[in-house]
Amino acid sequence: MPARATGVLAGALALAAAAVWASPDPLPWRQDELIYRLKQDCGSCHGLTMKGGLGPALLPETLADKPDHALVEVILKGVPGTPMPPWDFEISVMEAHWLVRQMKKGAIDDR
Amino acid sequence: MTVRALRAGVAALMLAGMMAQAAQAAEIVLRGTGDLGLVVERASGKVQIIETTDRTSLRTIDGLGDLSHASAVFSRDGRYAFLFGRDGGLSKIDLLTGAVVKRILQAGNSIGGAISQDGSLVAVSNYKPGGVKVFDAATLRLVADIPAIGADGERSKVVGLVDAPDQRFVFSLYDAGEIWIADLSDPAAPALRKFTGIGEQPYDGLITPDGRYYLAGLFGEDGVAMLDLWRPEAGVRRILDGYGRGEEKLPVYKMPHLEGWAEAGDLLFLPAVGRHEVLMVDRRSWTEVGRIPVHGQPVFAVARPDGRQIWVNFAHPRNDVVQVIDVPTRRIVKELRPGKAVLHMEFTPRGEQVWVSVRDADRVDVYDTRSFERLGELPMAKPSGIFLAARAHRIGL
């Protein structure tokens, strides 16, 4: 394989990998649904404005030092010994990643 | 300008003021509040004042803050509602004029409140900072601050705050696993009686309608902590111990609410945590006498005021259904599907109607409890709690 083709292939692979790592966004209608869930149902314990309640606050400053993958794990699998239930029956890994990004940005109330 | 002209001007101004006042007064219908109530529009920080005789909304009140999990109690004259918001807001609302008489932010994060037996004190249970604050019901001036520091030395979230006879409040410490009785006979010096080690994670509490028994539901274990307020020296007793019998509990998608624990005759109907069941407890022996399989995880199990029916709603995602249990036969006699996210049900004082909030449909439905016919509906934005002023005269509400 010529060097140039290898370069192109490597570039394409890198792009594909980047796309996977960035995790794509859900479709717009699903984004609306997820934010609605977050506010209305997660909000029962975490507060409609994410300032906390029986569950902890989900604000950018309280989430900043927590890695995305750990937060995704909490959403999908819950936290045993606490009231936090697993949500993997209706939220996908990609969607949980997107939700974590929104919460870390504090992009809940703008919607 | 002459003195005379000035006088005339002042008189004209006064007259205009009086006329404006009269015009305002004219909007206020002379009426009682026995058929009034309020519905919380949780997402928009509003409440609607409703009346249950013609089933209409009278007015909307705005600017009440974060109303997720908001609840209300009423002054003993039935005129004012005290609304407890999630954001620590405590608002005193005049049901007749719709005015927010007073509003304070008393904590960072709150979960509910209660009004004292004599109506002079309003208590709020707070998550942050964990504790109970007590206010003068007339002025909302702080009269007592009770930090909830458990035996472990840590500050705890407070849940399940209720009023009890003899000017007492009773509440539970979620993190510490304790029940406290606060006697506010001398509001400036609350007398506390603490019960420690009552069980893991009490998540809500209720007092029986006669004001005698306080029950705290436990999230961390299968069971209920019970305190006889006539005999507090007997201590907290565990009832329904291990009702799950070691089975794996289902994850809980909405905490049951124990304020609505139903009492009907000699039976208490309790939502089982993490199970598709309503538990029946004999309230003389405090033992389980049976359980009724239901549609989902029950959130509220509330008795019609005569105790003949129990209405049950459910946690996400099975929250579009309401089931009605007939008490004598202990069977489900009706299943209604009002729509997605049925959050709350409130009976009129004598139980001929029930008001049902259907959050995702932006609607409150009114049902006839005998025929189960839908009598009407009112548009509401994301309605949650419904609180009727008749609560003013009931212990623990």
Side-chain angles (χ1 to χ4, degrees), chain B residues 54-206:
Chain B
D54 297 315
R55 299 185 291 277
T56 61
S57 171
L58 301 176
R59 44 181 110 229
T60 299
I61 301 163
D62 201 353
L64 299 168
D66 179 352
L67 296 183
S68 50
H69 209 285
S71 61
V73 298
F74 296 89
S75 62
R76 69 199 302 279
D77 64 2
R79 177 162 177 184
Y80 300 100
F82 299 91
L83 182 74
F84 310 100
R86 165 72 84 190
D87 55 4
L90 167 57
S91 308
K92 181 175 179 178
I93 296 166
D94 187 334
L95 294 177
L96 292 178
T97 67
V100 179
V101 181
K102 179 99 183 173
R103 175 172 161 76
I104 58 171
L105 276 175
Q106 54 83 39
N109 203 306
S110 335
I111 192 65
I115 188 159
S116 64
Q117 181 178 35
D118 70 354
S120 69
L121 303 170
V122 171
V124 194
S125 57
N126 292 320
Y127 280 165
K128 214 186 301 167
V132 171
K133 283 187 182 174
V134 184
F135 298 88
D136 181 317
T139 61
L140 299 193
R141 182 181 59 85
L142 181 71
V143 294
D145 187 357
I146 306 170
I149 296 164
D152 56 1
E154 304 283 325
R155 207 154 175 149
S156 183
K157 297 185 182 91
V158 172
V159 300
L161 168 68
V162 299
D163 62 284
D166 299 330
Q167 200 67 359
R168 292 178 292 178
F169 291 109
V170 189
F171 49 91
S172 299
L173 278 59
Y174 172 79
D175 307 287
E178 300 184 15
I179 294 175
W180 290 13
I181 302 174
D183 184 336
L184 272 289
S185 306
D186 177 2
L192 300 177
R193 186 157 186 172
K194 303 174 183 178
F195 301 85
T196 56
I198 61 111
E200 293 287 311
Q201 295 168 319
Y203 63 92
D204 202 1
L206 100 156

Side-chain angles (χ1 to χ4, degrees), chain B residues 5-45:
Chain B
L6 200 65
R7 270 197 195 140
V10 168
L13 272 175
M14 280 172 66
L15 187 68
M18 279 160 66
M19 280 168 69
Q21 257 180 3
Q24 211 173 31
E27 288 172 21
I28 299 156
V29 180
L30 189 62
R31 64 170 299 156
T33 60
D35 61 348
L36 298 187
L38 59 83
V39 180
V40 174
E41 295 184 314
R42 69 204 295 256
S44 40

Side-chain angles (χ1 to χ4, degrees), chain A residues 20-43:
Chain A
V20 167
W21 283 113
S23 179
D25 288 350
L27 293 170
W29 64 269
R30 182 60 179 160
Q31 293 185 10
D32 291 346
E33 218 170 67
L34 287 167
I35 291 292
Y36 185 80
R37 282 273 150 271
L38 182 63
K39 279 190 191 173
Q40 301 293 336
D41 291 302
C42 307

Side-chain angles (χ1 to χ4, degrees), chain B residues 77-390:
Chain B
D77 64 2
R79 177 162 177 184
Y80 300 100
F82 299 91
L83 182 74
F84 310 100
R86 165 72 84 190
D87 55 4
L90 167 57
S91 308
K92 181 175 179 178
I93 296 166
D94 187 334
L95 294 177
L96 292 178
T97 67
V100 179
V101 181
K102 179 99 183 173
R103 175 172 161 76
I104 58 171
L105 276 175
Q106 54 83 39
N109 203 306
S110 335
I111 192 65
I115 188 159
S116 64
Q117 181 178 35
D118 70 354
S120 69
L121 303 170
V122 171
V124 194
S125 57
N126 292 320
Y127 280 165
K128 214 186 301 167
V132 171
K133 283 187 182 174
V134 184
F135 298 88
D136 181 317
T139 61
L140 299 193
R141 182 181 59 85
L142 181 71
V143 294
D145 187 357
I146 306 170
I149 296 164
D152 56 1
E154 304 283 325
R155 207 154 175 149
S156 183
K157 297 185 182 91
V158 172
V159 300
L161 168 68
V162 299
D163 62 284
D166 299 330
Q167 200 67 359
R168 292 178 292 178
F169 291 109
V170 189
F171 49 91
S172 299
L173 278 59
Y174 172 79
D175 307 287
E178 300 184 15
I179 294 175
W180 290 13
I181 302 174
D183 184 336
L184 272 289
S185 306
D186 177 2
L192 300 177
R193 186 157 186 172
K194 303 174 183 178
F195 301 85
T196 56
I198 61 111
E200 293 287 311
Q201 295 168 319
Y203 63 92
D204 202 1
L206 100 156
I207 189 164
T208 49
D210 59 4
R212 175 165 179 182
Y213 299 100
Y214 178 81
L215 296 100
L218 302 175
F219 185 82
E221 356 180 358
D222 280 340
V224 173
M226 190 271 280
L227 179 61
D228 181 353
L229 297 172
W230 288 11
R231 295 194 314 123
E233 64 280 2
V236 171
R237 192 176 138 188
R238 181 68 63 85
I239 61 168
L240 300 177
D241 206 11
Y243 64 75
R245 298 188 191 109
E247 292 164 44
E248 188 78 14
K249 218 175 9 180
L250 298 171
V252 177
Y253 289 94
K254 187 169 175 63
M255 280 290 197
H257 283 55
L258 303 191
E259 186 186 282
W261 279 15
E263 194 189 39
D266 287 330
L267 291 179
L268 270 164
F269 290 77
L270 318 176
V273 181
R275 301 177 186 286
H276 293 193
E277 290 168 342
V278 170
L279 307 175
M280 285 184 291
V281 183
D282 182 321
R283 62 157 289 177
R284 288 165 305 183
S285 62
W286 294 104
T287 52
E288 182 190 322
V289 293
R291 46 182 81 188
I292 299 168
V294 288
H295 170 78
Q297 296 181 357
V299 176
F300 283 98
V302 287
R304 201 171 72 171
D306 65 344
R308 173 74 202 260
Q309 298 171 346
I310 307 292
W311 288 57
V312 188
N313 74 330
F314 302 97
H316 177 83
R318 301 177 70 85
N319 57 8
D320 57 335
V321 163
V322 170
Q323 286 184 321
V324 183
I325 297 168
D326 176 58
V327 170
T329 60
R330 302 178 184 182
R331 287 177 36 189
I332 291 164
V333 290
K334 189 72 189 177
E335 181 169 303
L336 302 165
R337 288 184 183 269
K340 276 296 280 177
V342 172
L343 294 191
H344 197 210
M345 300 163 293
E346 175 94 337
F347 292 96
T348 46
R350 298 191 186 201
E352 81 287 357
Q353 302 169 29
V354 62
W355 287 53
V356 178
S357 56
V358 195
R359 186 194 68 199
D360 290 3
D362 292 310
R363 220 176 59 223
V364 165
D365 287 352
V366 185
Y367 289 92
D368 180 305
T369 62
R370 188 178 182 189
S371 67
F372 303 114
E373 261 175 65
R374 203 168 76 156
L375 299 172
E377 60 175 68
L378 280 85
M380 303 265 174
K382 307 280 168 273
S384 54
I386 304 169
F387 304 92
L388 299 185

